[in-house]
Amino acid sequence: STLALMLTRLPLAPLALAVLTLLSGCKKLQGAPLTKNGEPVKLGCDAPIPAALSHEEGRAVDYVVTCMVPVHTSLTIGPGTALVFQANAGFVVEQGGSLAAKGTAAAPITMTGEGGARWHGVHVFTASPQNELAFVRITDAGVARVDWKGALLATGEGALAVRDTTVEAADTHALAVTDGGKLRAVERSSFSAKGDTPALVSPDAIGKLAKNTFKGGAGASVRVELTNDPPRGDQTWAKLD
């Protein structure tokens, strides 16, 4: 009977090993998608995107964004990550989503149009305290989307902090804070536009714009959007670079 028990158990060992290998593989798949030969990962609207985007050593481009991707959960983008956007693509943070894109001085995050394609930008509609861009370079964005204009846009309930970030060659506004949107902070950043003012903001945001740079576009550096919401607290409208 002992021999029979041993013979019965022996085939289970390879099966258990196979199950463990499969589970290990599934765990790996929960992170960023696997790639072949250093090819970038495509992010589209037909499937949920990973919760974390990161740079893979040896890849010139980490991700290609093919549409206006909705972000309904927490999304983080790590230092050195390179994203390119096809025409009219972008990120729209809504319905419980948040975006934390935090690079470093040595490894900034880059977001640019694929082959110079004009894309919509990063549009934020949620008030999550996680919504922040730091050490990010955004290029070729700002194509108008319905009534929303801005390479970097906070509108409705949207709230955003921006630090050490460059938004350049925007089609419309490089920075837009409109229709109730909140700018929690903007520090050591630069904004430039081609066809419109570099920034369009509500009166409540103006006091936060000092010590940042605004270039290009048409007319003044900043256009103030008149709203029914008066500025909250004392403000200083400083001279801008």
Side-chain angles (χ1 to χ4, degrees), residues 14-208:
L15 177 60
L17 181 60
V19 170
L20 288 174
T21 302
L22 178 60
L23 290 175
S24 175
C26 289
K27 188 174 182 180
K28 290 179 182 178
L29 287 173
Q30 291 174 359
L34 302 177
T35 60
K36 292 188 273 185
N37 302 322
E39 295 176 358
V41 175
K42 285 194 173 183
L43 303 178
C45 294
D46 54 350
I49 63 174
L53 307 181
S54 60
H55 174 60
E56 182 177 300
E57 195 65 32
R59 274 198 312 210
V61 174
D62 294 297
Y63 301 91
V64 176
V65 183
T66 63
C67 64
M68 198 65 181
V69 173
V71 179
H72 293 150
T73 58
S74 297
L75 173 62
T76 62
I77 304 177
T81 305
L83 302 99
V84 300
F85 294 77
Q86 295 181 352
N88 300 317
F91 288 132
V92 55
V93 183
E94 57 187 2
Q95 297 178 5
S98 66
L99 172 63
K102 297 182 180 181
T104 65
I109 296 166
T110 59
M111 302 181 180
T112 189
E114 184 180 45
R118 315 309 295 178
W119 55 290
H120 288 308
V122 177
H123 294 179
V124 178
F125 290 80
T126 70
S128 170
Q130 302 302 318
N131 292 333
E132 181 177 351
L133 278 73
F135 292 102
V136 180
R137 180 176 292 273
I138 298 174
T139 308
D140 304 326
V143 172
R145 182 174 72 96
V146 193
D147 292 329
W148 298 297
K149 297 179 181 180
L152 191 53
L153 169 71
T155 191
E157 297 181 358
L160 183 64
V162 184
R163 297 180 172 90
D164 302 293
T165 287
T166 298
V167 184
E168 57 191 359
D171 264 27
T172 52
H173 311 290
L175 173 68
V177 182
T178 65
D179 297 326
K182 302 293 185 294
L183 190 60
R184 292 200 306 271
V186 55
E187 302 168 353
R188 302 175 301 275
S189 296
S190 64
F191 305 90
S192 65
K194 298 190 304 181
D196 215 320
T197 52
L200 171 66
V201 300
S202 62
D204 192 51
I206 295 177
K208 300 180 176 69

Side-chain angles (χ1 to χ4, degrees), residues 12 26 94 223 234:
L12 295 178
C26 289
E94 57 187 2
R223 182 186 301 174
D234 297 334

